[in-house]
Amino acid sequence: MASIREPEVQFAQRLASNERPIRSKALKKLRKYINARSQRASDGFTGDELLKLWKGLFYCLWMQDKPLLQEELSKQISTLIHSFNDTDKQLLYLESFLLTFKREWTGIDRLRMDKFFQVCVRRKLNEFLKNWESSAVSKFLEMLTAQLLQSSSEAPCGLQLHILDLYLTELATVGSAELTADQNLTFIDPFCKTAAKTKNQTLFSAICRSIFSTIIDQAPFAIEDLMKEVKAAEASEEDETQIKAGKSSEEEEEEDDDDDDDHLEEDTELLSDDIGPVLQFDYAALADKLFELARRNSTPGQNRQRLYKVIKRKHCNVFCIFLLFLFFSLKKLCILLVTFVHLTGVSLPPVYSLLNKLLQSSVVGWYNQAENRMLSVALITTCLYCLP
């Protein structure tokens, strides 16, 4: 008598079939199977069963040709995580995904690498990052640390670097509008701890480049939300003033406001072009966290020195740009920065050069005013004090 194969083995074989209709049909049945089995509390999936399913899902994507079909298939595979009705089961499904990719990574040829890079890994990370419950986030970060960041995880270097490159981008895509600065700090906590203790310099450099440097470089763009709030507050105050004022004065003010709004919109558009959504961070808290980790006796000396450089850069660049933004309009900030460069000869980071585009007019006229010259000197002194 022929032995009865496990359902997971049958699904894996059909998902890896050469025929696309068989694979598509198996994927639809698998979704129903997961939904039905997840409803039974006493009959949940085990790690071994999910590994068998992921073996089939991996080769299901392997067999798929044509970019649009690959993207659609990846979306279907990634959304399977929502068929599990429990966070622990979703995490087990995600952990099985990482274990499968760690096992199969060295066997992926260069022609298929982009398929798994851009499609499957990105979408899987995106789908789970939509869950922001504190308990789920804590378990997710523990799993990510154990499977990817610890030296005992034996994760391939290419997979580590790819997930680091995607992490902040995908987190911003799903949560830039809702996540708070404290929540964002929690999401990068494993990378801070790993940077303080890892002896893998490749991983350490990747964390500094993909996490810390990205946060610093995006700091000026994170101001856009603050500018919108200020603009909304000013608009509400102006509306109250206009109600009390006469009709003729209202029309003049509206024209002036429209001009100011146009300038502000142009400014923020120039700053946000091609940057996409950005995350808000408490930069002082992040610098304090890195300093606390760097000063520990267990932190390798090489890591400590490089973390201090990150902290110094964070204090210098972010403090200066935020101080100026908080007190002055965007155009005045640009004028001050350009004046600062001309008078001191200091070479500012490339991100600040974007502000030069906003200075096609009004520089000389604004700077010639005595009070503005005094203001410039004060702020230049502040910047010189903060620069390394």
Side-chain angles (χ1 to χ4, degrees), residues 160-161 164-165 201-212 306:
Q160 289 177 325
L161 299 183
L164 283 171
D165 286 339
Q201 290 303 306
T202 302
L203 178 60
F204 179 85
S205 298
I207 292 174
C208 290
R209 181 182 64 253
S210 300
I211 304 298
F212 302 145
R306 294 183 67 179

Side-chain angles (χ1 to χ4, degrees), residues 227 231 259-269 330:
M227 295 297 293
K231 176 183 171 183
D259 293 338
D260 293 340
D261 292 345
D262 290 340
H263 288 306
L264 182 55
E265 289 173 2
E266 291 173 2
D267 294 342
T268 54
E269 284 174 5
L330 193 56

Side-chain angles (χ1 to χ4, degrees), residues 6-236:
E6 298 176 2
E8 290 74 22
V9 175
Q10 297 181 40
F11 274 117
Q13 290 176 341
R14 292 173 184 171
L15 288 168
S17 172
N18 291 328
E19 301 294 331
R20 186 189 168 204
I22 296 177
R23 297 197 303 269
S24 300
K25 188 175 181 179
L27 190 59
K28 292 179 181 178
K29 288 187 176 180
L30 177 60
R31 188 180 299 275
K32 295 179 181 178
Y33 176 70
I34 293 175
N35 272 320
R37 188 164 174 181
S38 296
Q39 301 299 324
R40 302 194 295 267
S42 60
D43 190 23
F45 286 96
T46 64
D48 289 339
E49 290 173 338
L50 288 176
L51 284 174
K52 292 173 184 177
L53 289 177
W54 259 111
K55 182 84 170 183
L57 291 170
F58 180 88
Y59 284 101
C60 182
L61 186 59
W62 180 286
M63 300 298 295
Q64 183 63 64
D65 296 323
K66 300 180 181 179
L68 292 178
L69 295 178
Q70 292 168 3
E71 187 171 351
E72 178 61 27
L73 176 60
S74 179
K75 181 179 180 180
Q76 294 175 1
I77 293 175
S78 299
T79 54
L80 281 175
I81 195 170
H82 302 302
S83 298
F84 296 89
N85 61 356
D86 183 78
T87 302
D88 291 335
K89 295 175 183 176
Q90 292 178 348
L91 282 168
L92 188 59
Y93 177 77
L94 187 62
E95 183 178 10
S96 300
F97 155 75
L98 288 175
L99 287 170
T100 300
F101 269 69
K102 284 162 58 176
R103 184 186 65 237
E104 304 289 346
W105 191 259
T106 55
I108 303 176
D109 58 77
R110 64 181 182 84
L111 298 176
R112 290 184 171 90
M113 188 60 74
D114 285 344
K115 179 196 307 187
F116 290 100
F117 261 4
Q118 300 297 332
V119 183
C120 195
V121 179
R122 178 185 292 273
R123 283 194 173 273
K124 180 55 63 180
L125 191 62
N126 181 287
E127 287 298 328
F128 191 83
L129 286 175
K130 294 177 180 178
N131 189 349
W132 304 326
E133 294 181 5
S134 58
S135 59
V137 170
S138 176
K139 293 177 181 178
F140 165 72
L141 296 178
E142 290 177 4
M143 184 272 296
L144 188 68
T145 302
Q147 295 299 330
L148 197 70
L149 299 177
Q150 288 182 353
S151 57
S152 58
S153 66
E154 298 181 354
C157 182
L159 182 60
Q160 289 177 325
L161 299 183
H162 180 57
I163 291 181
L164 283 171
D165 286 339
L166 293 176
Y167 191 80
L168 287 183
T169 303
E170 295 306 312
L171 183 60
T173 300
V174 300
S176 61
E178 291 86 2
L179 290 174
T180 65
D182 291 339
Q183 288 176 308
N184 291 329
L185 195 60
T186 300
F187 271 105
I188 65 169
D189 183 65
F191 304 107
C192 298
K193 293 179 179 177
T194 300
K197 64 183 181 181
T198 184
K199 295 181 180 180
N200 184 341
Q201 290 303 306
T202 302
L203 178 60
F204 179 85
S205 298
I207 292 174
C208 290
R209 181 182 64 253
S210 300
I211 304 298
F212 302 145
S213 293
T214 300
I215 292 172
I216 294 172
D217 293 341
Q218 290 184 352
F221 301 97
I223 286 296
E224 184 176 353
D225 292 339
L226 179 61
M227 295 297 293
K228 289 180 179 178
E229 292 179 4
V230 173
K231 176 183 171 183
E234 290 177 350
S236 62

